[in-house]
Amino acid sequence: MRVVLAEDLFLLRDGLVRLLEAYDFEIAAAVESGPELTRALAELTPDVAVVDVRLPPSHTDEGLQCALQARRDRPGLPVLVLSQHVEQLYARELLADGTGGVGYLLKDRVFDAEQFIDAVRRVAAGGTAMDPQVIQQLLSRRSAGSKPLGRLTARELEVLELMAQGRSNAAIAGQLVVTERAIAKHTSNIFAKLGLEVSDDDNRRVLAVLAYLDQGR
């Protein structure tokens, strides 16, 4: 699996390269600036891009904007964004087109090797990998003024948060120590209450829920 990595801090970039290579990823390019990232994504057609939000020369949202442009040029390009803080605008922009694998992790998550590698693989496979803190903020902000979300029970909100992280029904059942049948029922209730069409595609289901939660900001 070929990865384009963009991170301007040398030690973190080098550490990520070593970590990914240890898990049999091929590093197609490891760059430190927005222009380099743009060229790498256009020329190397990676299986997944792991991108820091803030890159030179602007040190604002350069990395994210490069990734978004690459997704416009190549719809469905899997992108896993790394950020120092939860910035909801970035999460919304990343999820806006609803296609392909997407992820948003806080950099602190990188220090857990297994979770990070699982997130890269999940995004590369077309799934989602959203940091729990990002999901909690999306849920809490939306719930304040959202009647549909207010219809969910405490358990359904818990299931929704785990769904939004990209968890399968089996994984959610294991986390909550209940049966998969119970989770399937909660999932059906969530979609019905939110007015979302039920789909057998877990990835599309998660993106639909996140897109709904993010409307009207």
Side-chain angles (χ1 to χ4, degrees):
M1 190 178 299
R2 301 175 73 247
V3 180
V4 163
L5 170 66
E7 167 59 54
D8 64 323
L9 297 177
F10 170 77
L11 290 179
L12 180 53
R13 185 172 67 253
D14 185 63
L16 290 173
V17 167
R18 292 173 184 271
L19 175 60
L20 289 163
E21 288 180 338
Y23 283 84
D24 297 324
F25 288 88
E26 176 188 345
I27 306 301
V31 302
E32 60 179 327
S33 71
E36 289 177 306
L37 175 60
T38 296
R39 286 194 297 271
L41 293 178
E43 297 172 3
L44 301 176
T45 60
D47 297 305
V48 60
V50 179
V51 178
D52 185 10
V53 166
R54 301 179 185 275
L55 291 175
S58 68
H59 289 287
T60 54
D61 60 354
E62 189 91 7
L64 177 69
Q65 294 306 324
C66 291
L68 290 173
Q69 182 58 54
R71 281 171 65 85
R72 286 190 285 269
D73 295 337
R74 180 185 160 194
L77 170 68
V79 173
L80 174 60
V81 167
L82 302 178
S83 181
Q84 195 68 42
H85 307 287
V86 177
E87 301 183 67
Q88 296 183 36
L89 175 62
Y90 297 153
R92 182 176 71 245
E93 288 192 67
L94 185 65
L95 293 163
D97 63 13
T99 62
V102 291
Y104 186 116
L105 295 183
L106 297 182
K107 285 190 175 181
D108 288 348
R109 186 76 59 185
V110 173
F111 295 105
D112 186 323
E114 291 188 1
Q115 286 189 350
F116 175 67
I117 293 299
D118 176 68
V120 176
R121 287 175 174 159
R122 191 187 307 165
V123 170
T128 56
M130 304 297 290
D131 192 285
Q133 291 188 41
V134 177
I135 300 305
Q136 287 169 8
Q137 289 204 21
L138 289 173
L139 288 173
S140 62
R141 183 168 178 177
R142 181 66 182 176
S143 63
S146 172
K147 292 182 179 179
L149 194 61
R151 298 190 187 111
L152 302 185
T153 65
R155 174 61 87 179
E156 288 166 353
L157 283 170
E158 194 172 12
V159 171
L160 177 58
E161 181 176 337
L162 291 170
M163 284 170 54
Q165 292 175 32
R167 305 288 184 88
S168 66
N169 279 3
I172 296 173
Q175 177 89 11
L176 300 181
V177 195
V178 297
T179 65
E180 284 191 56
R181 184 174 181 180
I183 297 302
K185 182 176 180 180
H186 287 313
T187 299
S188 295
N189 290 340
I190 289 167
F191 276 104
K193 291 179 180 180
L194 296 182
L196 298 170
E197 183 178 350
V198 179
S199 170
D200 291 331
D201 186 333
D202 287 338
N203 300 330
R204 188 165 63 248
R205 172 185 72 181
V206 172
L207 290 174
V209 172
L210 285 173
Y212 177 85
L213 294 175
D214 204 40
Q215 287 175 4
R217 290 184 180 280

